[in-house]
Amino acid sequence: MRRLRTVAVCSLLLAALVPSTAEGATQMRRLQGDFGTLPPGQSGGRIVLGFIFKNKRANKGKFTPRQLTSIGLEGVPLRCANSPGDPASSALLTTSIPARKTPRSPRQANPKPNRYSFSFSSGFSDFDGTVGGRVYKRNGRGRLLTFGNLTIRDIDFSAPGPSNCSTTGERSWSGGAVA
């Protein structure tokens, strides 16, 4: 009987010491940012980014971003040159695509040690463009913040839609976590 009690106590202690699979968990979080307004008062659109956040077993409650998984663009205005001889036009881009990892831009700062910061960059498989930015917390505390740049150099919509569309340069955005 005493041996059974010892085995039971030891197994309970072992179960308490061994971390469960939830402690090394993964979370999917969405962050969104707004582009600034354009000169005639037109909205610049919105970007929604999907990230994988993970924690370490040593830091059970501290989830940090590890990978950009999806990029959503909502109502981003584009300027279209169209075919030669056709007048220029404008279009709004609304799409959601998986992220594609690209080499880090030389302009992106290296994250400082012991700070909550994650830099990312991604290209697009359907058109010529890039998105890059950073997810961080001020002084490593508080709510998640994000900022970055989007550049679309060339996108063609299906016929008879506009062609040779771009953001006419780099578009900056900033924002935070989606509630």
Side-chain angles (χ1 to χ4, degrees):
M1 184 71 163
R2 184 176 181 156
R3 185 175 186 190
L4 181 61
R5 190 177 313 150
T6 305
V7 170
V9 169
C10 288
S11 64
L12 286 175
L13 286 173
L14 183 62
L17 293 176
V18 174
S20 69
T21 56
E23 290 174 357
T26 299
Q27 292 181 350
M28 295 294 294
R29 292 189 189 173
R30 290 180 1 155
L31 303 174
Q32 78 179 22
D34 293 318
F35 295 100
T37 59
L38 299 175
Q42 177 186 10
S43 169
R46 173 178 293 154
I47 186 167
V48 179
L49 304 166
F51 286 95
I52 292 176
F53 279 67
K54 292 186 178 183
N55 71 346
K56 294 181 182 176
R57 292 178 191 259
N59 299 331
K60 295 178 187 174
K62 185 175 182 182
F63 283 83
T64 56
R66 303 290 174 87
Q67 182 181 356
L68 174 66
T69 59
S70 65
I71 304 164
L73 302 171
E74 299 174 1
V76 176
L78 302 173
R79 185 86 177 130
C80 302
N82 295 321
S83 301
D86 289 342
S89 62
S90 61
L92 294 176
L93 178 62
T94 300
T95 187
S96 181
I97 52 179
R100 193 179 78 189
K101 190 172 183 175
T102 59
R104 227 176 86 216
S105 166
R107 293 183 336 181
Q108 287 180 323
N110 289 329
K112 295 180 180 173
N114 302 321
R115 296 279 179 101
Y116 189 102
S117 180
F118 175 74
S119 296
F120 62 90
S121 63
S122 178
F124 301 103
S125 57
D126 298 342
F127 53 89
D128 184 17
T130 57
V131 64
R134 191 172 348 157
V135 176
Y136 69 102
K137 289 183 179 182
R138 285 196 179 108
N139 298 321
R141 292 187 161 80
R143 65 186 194 101
L144 281 174
L145 301 172
T146 184
F147 69 90
N149 297 308
L150 168 73
T151 304
I152 296 176
R153 288 178 282 285
D154 183 29
I155 183 172
D156 296 328
F157 294 92
S158 59
S163 60
N164 300 325
C165 300
S166 70
T167 54
T168 60
E170 197 171 68
R171 299 286 314 276
S172 297
W173 52 270
S174 64
V178 177

